[in-house]
Amino acid sequence: MLLNRARLLASPAANTVFTTVLTRGPVVRPEIARITGLSSAAVTKAVKPMIESGYLEELPQGPRTIEGAGRPARPLAVRADREFFVGVKVTADELIGVVTDLRAQVVRAAHRIPVIDRSVEQVVRDIAVLVAELTPAHAERTHHIGVSVSGDVDRPGGVVRYSPFLGWHDVPLAELVGEATGLAVTVENDVKALTVAEQWFGEGVGADSFALATVGVGIGCALVVNGRLVTGGYGVAGEIGHIPVASGDGPDCHCGARGCVEAIASEEAIVTRARRAAGDPELDMAGAIDRAHGGDAAVRAVFDEAGKAIGLGLAAMVNLVGPERVVVSGEGVAAYDLFEEQIRAAFTTQAFGAAARCPLVVRPLPWEEWARGAAAVSIQSLFAA
Amino acid sequence: MLLNRARLLASPAANTVFTTVLTRGPVVRPEIARITGLSSAAVTKAVKPMIESGYLEELPQGPRTIEGAGRPARPLAVRADREFFVGVKVTADELIGVVTDLRAQVVRAAHRIPVIDRSVEQVVRDIAVLVAELTPAHAERTHHIGVSVSGDVDRPGGVVRYSPFLGWHDVPLAELVGEATGLAVTVENDVKALTVAEQWFGEGVGADSFALATVGVGIGCALVVNGRLVTGGYGVAGEIGHIPVASGDGPDCHCGARGCVEAIASEEAIVTRARRAAGDPELDMAGAIDRAHGGDAAVRAVFDEAGKAIGLGLAAMVNLVGPERVVVSGEGVAAYDLFEEQIRAAFTTQAFGAAARCPLVVRPLPWEEWARGAAAVSIQSLFAA
């Protein structure tokens, strides 16, 4: 099965054709040729074995037509139930798992397991438990799992290089989860995984470039530029949290620099500053939000500053890479009303010329969506080179 | 001729094959297939008319081989003298023109015409004079010209939307130069044009991502990400000069924001601040450089601050897009010794984790290289969609 699939999708042309049907289908062959730049003959050749092996199917009639086409073409679609995928998002507090079909539609809604013990061994065991709970109905057609973790993840190597919130360093997570579950494992940074799902099935469909920024414990960002996720020549990209928006007079950042967005707008930074503003060393994030909503001007100012830093960071990113749109999400969007005015004001001031036209779309993405993102990267690995 | 060429290169596959031979050749067909992901049949089909029309030629024997290939393959190369291209860089003070062959090699070294009158009409007339001086030896095989201008350029529309140093707004430059010279015209932002030349024939060859930053009158940057120039969803990208590195306590910027890199490190910003530091309202850039070199600590501090702002901007860019390398150039590199220490110190402090490994390569690029960049974009237009 695996060999067969690998052979099916081994050529870049086959890979491109499959992705096109997956993300744009149902779609007729001439349109695939137009989108991909492949010849009609190449498309036909790539499609044939995919139909034979059940990954693609021909639909009876075409919902889309190409002008000037001679005979009505039969559109191709992915057979979504050909194979199923597990996606697991690992947070510091819980594991969230889903099962999706080949089109990343959730077919088995989120199961959750609390993380009591953050040791690698225990988390791997818990992932195996979660998989066992999730997959019985689809076990025979489930061969892949995606696991997403915040931090620095080496996807090709299958290694979590560093995850601050889990306290992990250089963990060969793909290998460990593979041994524990018998599935082929892809590990990816959680924001990048979410971005793959958005690129294929969400806000990013049809966009040559877009950005997904997350506001919460940290300030993260993943970028799609020229149609592909930006991974960084040295594995670092999208670090919007470490743009120095106040290098002169801003606070020190945990990264060693000064005035970074994250030094002003991360949850820890907000809580630290709100405690000082309120004179209450026990204040937590929920308490800070309550005070700001209750009219505490000093705490409110902390959120204003955080919003300004985020807005400046977003503008710097938009000035540099020019995405068609920016999705803002993350745990922090629950308190977005406290940030929004300053985010938008700072963004508008700092965005250069026509870049100010780039829309900021705020969208809460529940944890299940993040787990779905993890499943999406395992779908992507189906036909990775 | 033009029709024939347009037909030759009309398909994206042909386009890809031609670019591959242009930038990576001499190269055998199986390697083209490997690089492009096209089938051997598709490569062979695309190549045939290009050989017949003289754009490509087969070399007698292969300098490169593919492991496991059956018979020795004959490498393909672009016939560099098949066609010639004029490149003109327009600055506020002069026009610099070159003629290149199809591989962007300069075959006719720079001619210059001083710009006395910056009116559009006069500059267009001067470009025509420059073309007449440059092309006689190659006139019959010269059909394209590239013109590069600093500022906001709409390349597809052929319009200079805004060029501050020329004082131009919405100038249909491609149309005007076409009428004056009879050549097919491509206009492009000067830094982007230089980046195309670097991507194909310079530091960028083989890099999936790189950045070219220019220090001088302004602070510019062009980015190649995922193998292609980043153009920006709204036409704005690479605006490293408008990263707010000192939003809290930095000076106002001409863009309306505060603490931008350009507000601290543009030539105008440096001169303004150096005048204040030296107490000499007549000081110019050369004078400021002299004073700094001569040991004037206050003026030297102005360059230090500028260097720091540039280093922070470069780090923010590297943290976001993760280029494999950064080329730093521009008129300002003549005074690079005054910036360098602070650029590197700020970059090292601000670059996030492994991003600090990204090399900053300082490379003076004479005006002729910029004119060559303009020629490179006209070569690119040969087979633009």
Side-chain angles (χ1 to χ4, degrees), chain A residues 20-382:
Chain A
T20 304
V21 180
L22 183 66
T23 58
R24 312 281 282 267
V27 53
V28 295
R29 288 179 182 77
E31 195 167 346
I32 298 173
R34 189 186 59 77
I35 293 169
T36 61
L38 294 166
S39 70
S40 301
V43 171
T44 298
K45 189 183 161 196
V47 159
K48 193 162 177 278
M50 294 179 197
I51 293 178
E52 287 167 2
S53 59
Y55 281 93
L56 298 187
E57 62 185 341
E58 283 189 304
L59 301 184
Q61 65 180 103
R64 305 184 190 190
T65 59
I66 298 285
E67 250 179 74
R71 61 199 160 100
R74 295 179 64 186
L76 295 165
V78 162
R79 271 189 53 201
D81 62 353
R82 176 64 178 81
E83 192 161 337
F84 298 95
F85 300 82
V86 182
V88 175
K89 153 85 172 159
V90 180
T91 78
D93 304 315
E94 60 178 354
L95 308 179
I96 304 101
V98 296
V99 177
T100 79
D101 64 19
L102 189 51
R103 286 188 54 79
Q105 296 305 305
V106 173
V107 295
R108 181 97 195 212
H111 276 222
R112 289 152 181 264
I113 292 185
V115 171
I116 311 295
D117 169 0
R118 291 176 191 162
S119 73
V120 174
E121 297 68 27
Q122 189 57 47
V123 169
V124 169
R125 268 196 296 271
D126 287 346
I127 289 174
V129 169
L130 195 57
V131 168
E133 285 179 8
L134 282 165
T135 55
H138 306 98
E140 294 196 355
R141 278 181 280 165
T142 306
H143 310 293
H144 289 74
I145 182 173
V147 181
S148 76
V149 179
S150 75
D152 180 0
V153 177
D154 169 14
R155 175 174 168 172
V159 173
V160 178
R161 285 205 205 101
Y162 177 45
S163 183
F165 306 123
L166 292 165
W168 290 2
H169 285 91
D170 296 318
V171 174
L173 192 63
E175 187 185 333
L176 296 171
V177 173
E179 284 166 6
T181 63
L183 300 175
V185 187
T186 308
V187 297
E188 181 57 288
N189 166 274
D190 55 353
V191 181
K192 287 183 181 163
L194 190 56
T195 303
V196 168
E198 286 291 309
Q199 184 187 7
W200 281 2
F201 308 110
E203 287 284 338
V205 172
D208 199 48
S209 64
F210 78 101
L212 182 115
T214 58
V215 176
V217 174
I219 314 292
C221 182
L223 301 167
V224 169
V225 177
N226 291 332
R228 277 161 48 202
L229 193 66
V230 179
T231 54
Y234 302 91
V236 174
E239 288 293 348
I240 199 171
H242 299 283
I243 295 178
V245 293
S247 66
D249 59 351
D252 291 339
C253 183
H254 63 85
C255 75
R258 188 176 178 188
C260 295
V261 173
E262 216 161 77
I264 302 167
S266 70
E267 190 173 309
E268 189 186 330
I270 290 174
V271 170
T272 302
R273 294 150 76 87
R275 284 176 178 171
R276 208 180 304 137
D280 174 1
E282 302 295 315
L283 198 67
D284 63 5
M285 188 66 173
I289 292 172
D290 281 350
R291 275 182 178 264
H293 280 152
D296 181 329
V299 173
R300 178 69 213 222
V302 170
F303 284 94
D304 284 349
E305 277 184 65
K308 181 183 172 191
I310 295 167
L312 291 173
L314 291 173
M317 181 269 287
V318 168
N319 288 349
L320 276 173
V321 302
E324 291 170 32
R325 76 199 79 159
V326 178
V327 178
V328 181
S329 190
E331 319 93 85
V333 297
Y336 197 74
D337 63 304
L338 293 170
F339 296 125
E340 178 160 15
E341 190 182 331
Q342 291 298 323
I343 287 181
R344 293 196 183 274
F347 178 80
T348 304
T349 302
Q350 191 65 46
F352 188 71
R357 284 159 48 201
C358 175
L360 304 183
V361 182
V362 181
R363 208 148 81 80
L365 291 165
W367 288 123
E368 183 172 293
E369 286 294 307
W370 291 71
R372 181 175 168 243
V377 297
S378 77
I379 297 172
Q380 199 175 43
S381 292
L382 245 194

Side-chain angles (χ1 to χ4, degrees), chain B residues 26 55 91 95 125 211 224 278 300 313:
Chain B
Y55 281 94
T91 77
L95 308 180
R125 268 195 297 270
V224 169
R300 177 69 212 225

Side-chain angles (χ1 to χ4, degrees), chain B residues 274 277-280 283 287-303 338:
Chain B
D280 174 0
L283 198 66
I289 292 171
D290 282 349
R291 274 181 179 263
H293 280 151
D296 182 327
V299 173
R300 177 69 212 225
V302 170
F303 284 93
L338 293 171

